[in-house]
Amino acid sequence: MHTLSQNWKDSEIEKVFMYAVKYKLPIIVHTGFSKMTTCRRFEKFIKNFKSVPVILAHGQPEVQAEKLVSTYTNCYLDTAFLSSLQISRLLESEVKAKVLLGSDYPIQYTYPDTKKLLVELGENWNVFEKTMTLLNFLEFFAHKVKINDIQTNQ
C-alpha cells in the first residue's frame, strides 16, 4: 500500500487491515518522510491488528521503523532503498531477525557505499543474501528453522 501516491485515508487503511485479518494476509506499506508515509502513521494499525504481519517497506524514518519493529511482534521492515550502512547497523541490532531483504536494493547508482559492501562480502554475498532472505522469510511466516538446515548453492 502506497499511502502517499494513492492518497489513502485512515478509514480506508483500517478496511484493508480488516480484510487482511479475515483472509490471514500480510500487509506491506510504503514508508518515507512525508506525513502520509512515516512509520508512526501506521502504528495504530499495527497495534490494533496484531494478527496481521506488517512489513514497513524502506523502513523510514529509520528510528521510527526500528522502534515499531522492536515493540510489535507483527511488525517487520525491509532493506529496500536503505544504504548498506543502515543495513549493516540493523543486522547488528536487536531487530535483525525481523529485517527482510528488499528487492530494490542494492541500488548501485544511488548509494556509492554499495559497491564497497559487495566487494567486501565477495563470495559471501550469495550466502548472506540467501540466508537472510530465507531465514527471515520463514520466520515471517512462522516457520522455525536452524541455520544448519539451510544449504546454499555457490
Side-chain angles (χ1 to χ4, degrees):
M1 157 182 345
H2 198 300
T3 56
L4 179 62
S5 64
Q6 298 165 341
N7 197 26
W8 287 79
K9 297 177 181 77
D10 281 3
S11 60
E12 295 168 323
I13 295 171
E14 185 169 17
K15 287 178 185 176
V16 171
F17 272 80
M18 290 188 302
Y19 184 89
V21 168
K22 182 176 181 180
Y23 293 101
K24 298 179 180 3
L25 297 171
I27 293 179
I28 186 166
V29 294
H30 172 86
T31 64
F33 296 98
S34 78
K35 181 179 170 185
M36 295 285 288
T37 61
T38 64
C39 291
R40 189 173 291 127
R41 178 176 188 207
F42 303 105
E43 183 170 15
K44 63 185 168 192
F45 303 107
I46 295 165
K47 181 180 180 180
N48 294 333
F49 293 91
K50 291 184 174 138
S51 67
V52 176
V54 178
I55 303 169
L56 303 171
H58 314 307
Q60 297 297 331
E62 189 178 354
V63 172
Q64 289 179 19
E66 195 168 347
K67 180 178 184 278
L68 292 180
V69 169
S70 65
T71 303
Y72 300 101
T73 59
N74 61 321
C75 189
Y76 301 79
L77 63 84
D78 77 15
T79 62
F81 224 72
L82 294 179
S83 74
S84 58
L85 296 175
Q86 289 171 304
I87 293 170
S88 295
R89 196 187 64 67
L90 284 169
L91 293 177
E92 293 173 4
S93 74
E94 66 179 46
V95 301
K96 68 183 174 188
K98 296 175 83 181
V99 176
L100 305 171
L101 187 64
S103 63
D104 56 345
Y105 187 83
I107 301 173
Q108 181 75 23
Y109 63 87
T110 306
Y111 295 105
D113 58 333
T114 302
K115 184 174 182 181
K116 181 180 177 201
L117 174 68
L118 295 176
V119 169
E120 287 174 4
L121 287 171
E123 291 182 13
N124 292 327
W125 174 254
N126 288 336
V127 175
F128 164 79
E129 182 178 31
K130 288 176 186 174
T131 303
M132 181 179 169
T133 303
L134 182 58
L135 284 178
N136 289 343
F137 174 83
L138 292 172
E139 181 71 25
F140 179 75
F141 287 102
H143 297 282
K144 304 291 182 194
V145 295
K146 296 177 185 171
I147 195 153
N148 296 337
D149 295 337
I150 296 175
Q151 295 181 353
T152 58
N153 298 324
Q154 295 222 27

